[in-house]
Amino acid sequence: SAEESTATYRLHIKEILFKKVLDESNSALATLMSSVRYARLIQEAQLPHPTNIQTKLKDFAVEWHPRDTIGGDFWWSQYHQPSNSLVIALIDCTGHGVPGAMLSVLVNSQLDKVFSSDPCIDLSEAVRQLDQLIRKSLRQELTHTESDDGCDGAFIRIHLSTRQLEYVGVKINLYELTSTNEVVQHKADRISLGYRDVPASYPLTRTWQAAPGSRFIVTTDGVTDQLGGHEKTPVAFGYRRLLDALRSNTNASTAVIAS
């Protein structure tokens, strides 16, 4: 009938339109993912090469697995030959994916600026300067800006000749696995860097002598926030499970983890 022919024709037109929209969406998605994958290569190129540090430490490893191909977590290092000291920083920037990755590029460049001007700068002062540089770069002082982003971090300096360790943490703890199979948690201060609200004070540098056989682990919340358990009621991995995992692997290799 004419009614059936019209309905069939309309259905055919809808199928053609749907296929056209689907093809355009797939093409746009392919272009986007191609850009993100290339951006990962650029972000990876900014990370230090682990082999440069493995020659200076007995045991060193890194795990970097951004959830969305690229992200806001990264690690940074600098070796200062005259003092034979090594600085390692683990940074967790606001956001995931493209926004987090763009912020990580900014923070990375500001870290370079702080330590290139004074390689032996006190870590507490370095954190203060980094906080101010990030805030200035993001124009947080402007009242009309919508930006309120920043980062957390752990900053460690190892004096390789004396085994002296310096640490400043802003919401990223440092875990020490002792030679007696204990886990010592060096807690970070509860402030962040670069946000609109200027911290009332900055954490002081903590210094101690690393005992023979001690190993150190730092990790972003990409590990502790990882969901698992039942599919319908997922549960975050959490800090308690992290500590249990460290205690049960005190004889394993050291790793700096940025996830």
Side-chain angles (χ1 to χ4, degrees):
S1 65
E3 237 179 71
E4 291 174 335
S5 297
T6 302
T8 302
Y9 175 74
R10 286 177 177 172
L11 181 61
H12 179 62
I13 294 298
K14 285 181 180 179
E15 288 176 348
I16 293 174
L17 290 174
F18 179 75
K19 187 177 184 304
K20 184 179 175 68
V21 170
L22 187 62
D23 289 343
E24 289 178 353
S25 298
N26 287 338
S27 176
L29 180 61
T31 301
L32 176 62
M33 290 309 300
S34 177
S35 297
V36 170
R37 283 191 293 269
Y38 192 78
R40 180 187 174 92
L41 296 177
I42 297 173
Q43 190 173 24
E44 276 191 291
Q46 289 192 319
L47 301 177
H49 203 287
T51 55
N52 296 334
I53 297 178
Q54 287 166 346
T55 59
K56 297 174 177 63
L57 298 176
K58 183 179 178 180
D59 190 12
F60 182 82
V62 176
E63 293 292 333
W64 184 70
H65 305 288
R67 190 191 70 179
D68 302 316
T69 308
I70 55 177
D73 293 2
F74 72 95
W75 70 286
W76 179 95
S77 73
Q78 182 199 63
Y79 173 68
H80 185 238
Q81 189 170 8
S83 63
N84 194 26
S85 63
L86 177 67
V87 176
I88 298 175
L90 178 65
I91 307 295
D92 180 0
C93 296
T94 307
H96 298 280
V98 174
M102 292 185 68
L103 185 55
S104 76
V105 172
L106 183 149
V107 177
N108 196 314
S109 66
Q110 302 302 349
L111 260 175
D112 286 336
K113 183 181 295 185
V114 170
F115 282 91
S116 62
S117 60
D118 185 3
C120 295
I121 186 173
D122 183 83
L123 292 184
S124 179
E125 174 61 17
V127 166
R128 186 191 70 82
Q129 290 187 21
L130 181 63
D131 174 56
Q132 293 181 345
L133 286 170
I134 295 171
R135 189 176 297 107
K136 183 178 179 181
S137 299
L138 295 175
R139 300 179 181 179
Q140 305 282 34
E141 75 280 0
L142 301 179
T143 55
H144 62 273
T145 182
E146 295 182 2
S147 170
D148 191 17
D149 301 308
C151 68
D152 302 329
F155 305 83
I156 304 160
R157 175 180 280 123
I158 307 168
H159 295 274
L160 300 175
S161 302
T162 62
R163 302 178 63 88
Q164 188 181 66
L165 202 79
E166 299 173 10
Y167 162 69
V168 170
V170 284
K171 289 190 178 178
I172 293 185
N173 301 324
L174 173 65
Y175 300 95
E176 179 179 357
L177 277 62
T178 69
S179 57
T180 56
N181 297 334
E182 294 178 312
V183 178
V184 179
Q185 183 178 4
H186 302 278
K187 290 190 176 181
D189 286 67
R190 304 309 297 170
I191 68 167
S192 293
L193 306 179
Y195 290 87
R196 283 186 199 169
D197 294 333
V198 180
S201 62
Y202 294 94
L204 298 176
T205 303
R206 285 177 254 175
T207 306
W208 68 94
Q209 201 72 21
S214 287
R215 287 157 297 155
F216 298 90
I217 292 91
V218 283
T219 172
T220 67
D221 59 11
V223 173
T224 53
D225 291 352
Q226 182 66 39
L227 296 177
H230 196 277
E231 186 179 348
K232 292 184 179 179
T233 55
V235 178
F237 188 70
Y239 285 97
R240 183 178 296 177
R241 289 187 181 87
L242 173 62
L243 289 172
D244 290 342
L246 294 177
R247 290 189 186 100
S248 61
N249 290 277
T250 51
N251 294 319
S253 298
T254 303
V256 176
I257 306 174
S259 298

